[in-house]
Amino acid sequence: MKQKLIFACLAVLVVCSCDEVEDLLTFRINDKTSFRVESNASPIALPFEIPTPDVTSDSQQQYANNNTNASLVRDVKLEQLKLTITNPQTKTFSFLKSIRIYISSDQSNEIQLATAENIAADARTVELIPTKQKLDTYIKASSYNLRTEVTTDETLTEAVDIRADLKFLVTADTF
């Protein structure tokens, strides 16, 4: 009986220690980019693409700050993708019916990253729903590309500037 109690205590200690070690090896990488939806650029209710510049990630610096490097990264997931209208200051997402954002890199094919449907007309920020895709190869690259596809439900009379803030959850091994 005493041995079973000792074994149970050791098992709990090992499980708790593993969770703590996992937490120590998990960190976040924050990236951002901006894009513009031009006025009268789109047919209403039909999807169209918006040019989005390549995102140059500071992931290499983030790896170093967390005592690791790209070769030791073993899991990356998108934790959050938030869009914010930066100009004009009074504009809301009333023009936007849906949005899909895709990610690609020189080393990896394009996959869907996040999406949002039925966006509130009075919103100035929108949080997209991330996919559950593993993003290791994209975030290990020095840069990646985002392709944005939107469907509008009203005509834009002025261009709208949007900032995309991305938060990735990274799990890696240490040196």
Side-chain angles (χ1 to χ4, degrees):
M1 182 71 167
K2 193 174 187 181
Q3 288 177 334
K4 287 182 183 180
L5 181 59
I6 292 172
F7 179 73
C9 289
L10 287 174
V12 168
L13 183 62
V14 168
V15 169
C16 291
S17 296
C18 289
D19 288 343
E20 288 177 17
V21 169
E22 186 76 18
D23 289 345
L24 290 174
L25 302 175
T26 301
F27 57 95
R28 286 168 180 77
I29 292 178
N30 297 309
D31 285 334
K32 65 182 171 185
T33 189
S34 296
F35 57 93
R36 172 176 273 201
V37 181
E38 295 290 345
S39 61
N40 298 323
S42 67
I44 295 176
L46 293 176
F48 68 97
E49 289 184 30
I50 298 172
T52 309
D54 284 355
V55 178
T56 302
S57 180
D58 73 341
S59 59
Q60 300 303 322
Q61 182 61 48
Q62 293 294 326
Y63 299 148
N65 292 348
N66 287 280
N67 300 316
T68 192
N69 62 46
S71 66
L72 298 173
V73 169
R74 55 184 162 94
D75 189 33
V76 178
K77 300 259 195 254
L78 179 64
E79 188 174 53
Q80 181 183 52
L81 197 162
K82 183 170 70 170
L83 302 178
T84 304
I85 295 176
T86 57
N87 193 39
Q89 296 295 319
T90 58
K91 187 68 179 161
T92 66
F93 280 107
S94 63
F95 67 94
L96 197 58
K97 181 176 181 179
S98 67
I99 185 165
R100 287 176 172 62
I101 297 183
Y102 301 85
I103 189 170
S104 63
S105 72
D106 291 341
Q107 298 82 22
S108 302
N109 293 331
E110 181 180 85
I111 59 171
Q112 187 171 318
L113 185 62
T115 185
E117 306 280 336
N118 303 318
I119 297 159
D122 62 347
R124 288 195 38 80
T125 63
V126 173
E127 280 201 38
L128 281 68
I129 299 168
T131 64
K132 301 297 182 197
Q133 302 274 1
K134 281 189 72 159
L135 303 170
D136 307 17
T137 57
Y138 303 94
I139 304 307
K140 287 180 182 182
S142 59
S143 69
Y144 54 88
N145 183 266
L146 297 178
R147 181 173 66 86
T148 305
E149 182 183 276
V150 299
T151 302
T152 59
D153 61 3
E154 68 181 48
T155 302
L156 281 174
T157 58
E158 59 188 331
V160 178
D161 295 325
I162 299 173
R163 184 184 71 234
D165 294 297
L166 301 100
K167 187 184 296 183
F168 298 96
L169 187 63
V170 179
T171 302
D173 295 325
T174 58
F175 293 125

